Amino acid sequence: MKQYLDLCNRIVNEGEWVNNERTGKRCLTVINADLTYDVSKGEFPLVTTRKSYWKSAIAEIIGYLRGYDNAADFRALGTKTWDANANENEVWLNNPYRKGEDDMGLCYGAIGRHFPKPDGGHIDLLQHIIEDLSRGVDNRGEILTFYHPGAFHMACLRPCMYSHHFSLLGDTLYLNSTQRSCDVPLGLNFNMVQVYVLLAIVAQITGKKPGKAFHKIVNAHIYEDQLELMRDVQLKREPYPLPTLKINPEIKSLKDIETWVTMDDFAVEGYQFHDPIAYPFSV
Ligand SMILES: Nc1nc(=O)c2c([nH]1)NC[C@@H]1CN(c3ccc(C(=O)N[C@@H](CCC(=O)O)C(=O)O)cc3)CN21
Ligand SMILES: O=c1ccn([C@H]2C[C@H](O)[C@@H](COP(=O)(O)O)O2)c(=O)[nH]1
């Protein structure tokens, strides 16, 4: 929690204003932040200085692992977070590749589970990683990437947290996740939870011990219409101790994640939080 608040304070105190063409808004911005979550110690990084919707965050990452490319599938899993990008952005609505209501196009899991090969066909990056790690193999390139510049014109948004690199040291699994762009009041609440859950669940299904997850953020920003709420409300609050996350131990394979897992297979214990803050969202 301290890492999160330090980053928020750093943006408020040292950030520079940058005009963002895509949203038409200004963002108070800093470059580079490195957050670490010790999954072995159960340091679940859930924001406590406002109510944080952790089920929604976990639904997003499970949807990416399933290769979803449609906001309706995300809704069925438990999150509405892709509705606006799929259905309200003018540029995407006019994109000839958009396949209709709720389509998100070629982004996130639609790329990572189906990465196009220049010589034809596709690779399921996640399946390969799970197979390797389960056999105790780390080929120093166990990278789940969602980043395919050749597909950007066919997607509603470029992936923000775009790379997840897994590593083994003995029986301990590590994760380095990289994020190119971060909406700190809204997106980062979710992204911290997602990095933690990704390491915890991949360790669980590959039979490894979870170690640390390292979360690198490049462009970290607060939109102009979010600044007052962050500076004058959220940052005035005292954080509570971190809660813990429990994952159903019956989840044992990628197939389980793909077929029957729901948000009821996750529970957060001891979550104390301050009142919700409704931050404005930029489409
Ligand atoms: N501007 C922007 N910020 C983001 O964080 C973001 C995007 N766009 N587009 C793609 C995804 C969608 N994500 C989102 C979208 C909405 C919320 C949101 O509205 N959160 C509210 C309510 C969540 C709920 O009720 O489930 C929050 O208070 O956290 C969070 C993350 C993260 N991403
Ligand atoms: O997981 C996510 C997804 C998106 N965001 C934020 C970061 C930016 O504010 C927008 C994306 O805009 P770009 O113009 O494509 O950078 O969404 C996030 O924080 N976390």
Side-chain angles (χ1 to χ4, degrees), residues 67-277:
Y68 283 176
D69 66 354
N70 191 287
D73 289 333
F74 280 90
R75 280 198 300 280
L77 202 53
T79 185
K80 296 182 180 146
T81 47
W82 280 97
D83 290 7
N85 288 107
N87 298 318
E88 288 170 28
N89 180 286
E90 211 45 45
V91 174
W92 178 238
L93 291 176
N94 293 321
N95 186 312
Y97 287 105
R98 184 173 178 268
K99 297 193 294 281
E101 181 83 7
D102 287 324
D103 183 34
M104 295 158 55
L106 279 180
C107 55
Y108 287 94
I111 292 289
R113 299 297 313 265
H114 214 68
F115 201 95
K117 289 168 65 185
D119 58 353
H122 301 92
I123 312 177
D124 182 345
L125 300 174
L126 182 59
Q127 178 83 45
H128 280 291
I129 292 168
I130 300 298
E131 280 169 14
D132 281 354
L133 298 178
S134 302
R135 292 186 294 127
V137 170
D138 168 6
N139 68 18
R140 304 192 290 199
E142 305 293 354
I143 301 173
L144 174 62
T145 183
F146 300 136
Y147 211 71
H148 190 331
F152 289 167
H153 65 295
M154 301 169 78
C156 66
L157 202 68
R158 294 165 297 166
C160 290
M161 209 152 64
Y162 65 88
S163 172
H164 301 283
H165 184 168
F166 295 89
S167 303
L168 275 177
L169 284 181
D171 268 350
T172 305
L173 187 66
Y174 293 83
L175 174 62
N176 287 71
S177 296
T178 309
Q179 182 163 1
R180 65 171 177 84
S181 173
C182 182
D183 175 344
V184 170
L186 276 178
L188 188 51
N189 266 315
F190 279 32
N191 297 134
M192 295 193 297
V193 167
Q194 289 164 351
V195 170
Y196 181 100
V197 168
L198 184 59
L199 178 55
I201 203 159
V202 170
Q204 181 166 316
I205 66 174
T206 57
K208 303 296 165 208
K209 291 187 211 128
K212 286 181 178 169
F214 303 98
H215 184 179
K216 155 86 71 193
I217 298 163
V218 179
N219 183 305
H221 50 265
I222 297 176
Y223 286 91
E224 56 186 324
D225 50 7
Q226 299 171 325
L227 181 60
E228 232 178 81
L229 282 171
M230 176 57 80
R231 189 189 51 214
D232 303 336
V233 181
Q234 193 169 357
L235 285 174
K236 297 276 188 267
R237 297 173 173 177
E238 278 302 315
Y240 293 112
L242 290 183
T244 50
L245 176 75
K246 295 277 180 299
I247 302 179
N248 181 353
E250 290 307 312
I251 304 174
K252 292 189 168 123
S253 67
L254 183 54
K255 196 104 213 125
D256 292 343
I257 293 175
E258 288 165 353
T259 51
W260 56 261
V261 167
T262 71
M263 291 317 107
D264 294 340
D265 295 300
F266 301 87
V268 168
E269 292 174 1
Y271 186 33
Q272 282 178 272
F273 52 85
H274 288 268
D275 286 346
I277 301 177

